[in-house]
Amino acid sequence: MAKQHYQQQMARARRRADSDSNGLGQVVWDVSCKLWRLGVWLGLFARVLAQRARELHRLPTGQHLLPVAELEPHRLRELFFGARPVDAATWFSNTRPRPRQLARFRARTWPATAPRFAVAIRLLDEGPNWLAESLRSLAGQTYGNWQAVVAIPHSVSAEVRAVLERQAASDHRLSLTSSSLDKALRGSGATYYCFLDHGDVLEPHALHRLAEAVLHHPSDLLYSDEALTGESTEAVQAVEVRPAFSYDLYLAHEYFKNLLTVRAGCVAQAGGLGDANRWGCNQDFVLRVLEHSQHVSHLPEILYRRRCHVDHRAKPNPPRAAEMQRQNVARHLRRLGLPAVVQPTAEPDCRDVQFRVIRRGQVGIIIPTRNHGDLLRRCIESLEATLRPSQASILVLDHESDEPATVAYLSELRQRWPVLPYRGTFNFSAMMNAGADHLRHCDYYLFLNNDTEALEAGWLDHMVGLAQREDVGVVGAVLLYPDRTVQHAGVVVGFRLAAEHLPKGTPTFGQDGSRLAGPSRALLATRDQSAVTGACLLMRSEVFRALGGFDERLAVGFGDTDLCLRARAAGYKVLLDAQAVLLHHESATRPTHMPDPHPTDTRLFRARYLDLLLHGDPTYSQAWSYLENSQLNGFARAPQVLRPRVAPVVLPHVATGAVLGSVRSLRWKAA
């Protein structure tokens, strides 16, 4: 009836408009139609947005409503409109500051405490045109408090020398020296040293962003993201967007190199640059700096471009270069007094750092199960085949299994390992806590799903080598689907405004059977994560007890993520051990067809970690999509204010005793 009445009113208005001789009625009619169409479109648009939010479960209702308006603009747009695929060149173009923003940067007035930079340019065996381009990019900086220092070796070509002399004659800030670079930097009076390679191009606001970051937090070392180009620096081929500082990732993979910015005092404490012809090519200088650093800042913006059509930074013999890098890491660990072996991996630029286990102890393996005896049998047999007889104690927590085959296998299993019955409503956190209480004599706890399968010996020793360190609280493993694609290589908090395993579905092995590195070397390089899955999670028992165990209010979901985040809040690292690889027959024991199988846990998790959900996971680049795996956010634009991600430098240490110090006083209190 309402629709019929509306149509009658519209027909009557149309007749009046047609009979109006002066045309005013027609104008009113046209305007009314346009307003009506606009209202229809706005209504449809609002319905689409609401439906989109409901489908993706991003707007929980009631007291846990997320203030999504506080998200970064590019994440907010992606949230409502969905992921937008974009290539690297377009993404880079979209995220560069526009001329008006650069003009504001140039007009800024800086305080007296603003840093002075000495930019050291390392000469390479490249043409003079590339060097001239590097010098022009430096001269065009929106921040003016800098000096460039170039140490000219005797072997430099006449063309390169001519370019340097012309630039020095026109810009007094360029200093040429035939002495050592160390001496020239010390004489510059700079508070920070920046390192740049011949041929690299700075973005116009690079030093401006570095100065802002230093004023925000005077870190000892700073690095940024970068763009990789062809021979022309305007032809962007890829972008390297990086996480916040991860010490273990840097040991395993030199994931930042150029536009390295280091506090001058820290360079002096580290013993200077060392071999000036090698500091840009290996980790030795950075590792020495880290030994005397307190904080490292990551600037999540592309501040320079690097040519990659030829790898002019590589040594003539790549295997030799990889060996030199392994030696750098080994020397660093020896200086720290840590016995470790640094082994090669399938990729020359990645290393496997194996910490020798000096804090030995019994590992209590806690496995919850309900029926599916075939999966449990495969899990137990794989453990017995890959572990030493005295290495671990296995405890099976049986949640009311009633399948005859499973009951029979559990009866058989009791001859070798204890089986603890658990009754009542399923609560993963409560089951894990009960298992830990039963194994209080153990030095380590490994929480393991019944649908996992160990593949080869040595995986648990590798994880214990990391977990024994005083700076480490939690260690996780790489888990694969039965088809050998990735099921878990770390948890990203904030993905879809919750938490998700990434990079799911990525191939792990090449056609020749060798390990693949994966996105950002995620499958070969051990690294910090905000969380790892409880399907395979190792902790020292003292850390577990100090944190108060799992929060039993998170009965089904997010209990493992919550435990990891509390460990990080207590000052511990959460590491993904890229060398520990197991199969995970995920979801074989519990249904996952529901959109959200644990809405109560989701609401509690979102309320507790609202700030992290809104501002993003520090171990995950903000340039990536938070909706799609390994995809750049197509809505990203140049930030007006860049927020550096500051991380403390905590060097590894292994205590032979069992004293945790002040962390013993920590106990979990619910939010």
Side-chain angles (χ1 to χ4, degrees), residues 121-342:
I121 302 177
R122 185 172 69 112
L123 298 180
L124 299 170
D125 187 18
E126 302 292 353
N129 293 336
W130 285 14
L131 176 59
E133 190 175 2
S134 296
L135 294 174
R136 285 195 300 270
S137 73
L138 184 56
Q141 290 297 299
T142 61
Y143 182 80
N145 193 6
W146 58 267
Q147 176 183 348
V149 178
V150 182
I152 305 178
H154 295 296
S155 59
V156 70
S157 68
E159 293 84 356
V160 168
R161 186 183 295 272
V163 168
L164 290 170
E165 290 175 349
R166 283 197 303 269
Q167 186 68 24
S170 63
D171 192 337
H172 69 279
R173 294 174 296 183
L174 175 58
S175 173
L176 307 181
T177 179
S178 57
S179 63
S180 72
L181 191 57
D182 259 326
K183 183 177 179 180
L185 287 174
R186 287 196 301 271
S188 67
T191 52
Y192 279 83
Y193 302 155
C194 302
F195 300 100
L196 189 67
D197 266 1
H198 175 159
D200 286 350
V201 174
L202 293 177
E203 291 301 303
H205 61 305
L207 297 184
H208 182 104
R209 291 299 201 196
L210 287 168
E212 286 182 326
V214 169
L215 289 175
H216 170 77
H217 190 288
S219 295
D220 300 296
L221 187 150
L222 304 93
Y223 66 96
S224 71
D225 298 341
E226 69 176 52
L228 305 180
T229 75
E231 185 168 352
S232 168
T233 55
E234 298 301 319
V236 173
Q237 299 178 355
V239 294
E240 289 193 3
V241 291
R242 294 164 173 142
F245 176 68
S246 169
Y247 170 81
D248 285 87
L249 175 57
Y250 195 81
L251 291 186
H253 172 57
E254 191 181 6
Y255 71 100
F256 58 85
K257 296 182 182 180
N258 286 31
L259 195 56
L260 186 69
T261 303
V262 187
R263 186 172 56 82
C266 202
V267 174
Q269 291 175 322
L273 299 180
D275 187 344
N277 292 321
R278 295 178 54 230
W279 52 254
C281 294
N282 58 57
Q283 296 174 314
D284 178 66
F285 171 65
V286 173
L287 291 172
R288 286 189 288 110
V289 166
L290 290 175
E291 293 167 19
H292 301 276
S293 298
Q294 298 296 319
H295 293 90
V296 174
S297 288
H298 166 234
L299 280 63
E301 186 177 12
I302 291 179
L303 298 184
Y304 74 99
R305 284 168 276 163
R306 174 167 64 90
R307 290 178 169 92
C308 64
H309 77 291
V310 290
D311 189 1
H312 56 268
R313 293 157 180 78
K315 296 293 179 182
N317 184 352
R320 175 58 181 160
E323 174 61 25
M324 292 173 64
Q325 291 183 334
R326 291 195 294 273
Q327 291 176 5
N328 290 331
V329 175
R331 282 195 299 269
H332 164 70
L333 294 174
R334 283 198 298 271
R335 290 194 295 268
L336 298 181
L338 288 173
V341 178
V342 185

Side-chain angles (χ1 to χ4, degrees), residues 54-55 57 556 587 590-600 602:
R54 284 194 297 269
E55 289 174 354
H57 307 283
V556 181
S587 306
R590 293 195 176 273
T592 59
H593 60 275
M594 296 175 60
D596 185 351
H598 39 69
T600 301
T602 301

Side-chain angles (χ1 to χ4, degrees), residues 344-363:
T345 66
E347 288 290 336
D349 63 349
C350 290
R351 289 156 292 282
D352 172 15
V353 182
Q354 303 174 8
F355 290 90
R356 184 165 64 85
V357 178
I358 60 178
R359 188 174 182 174
R360 296 193 177 276
Q362 189 79 359
V363 179

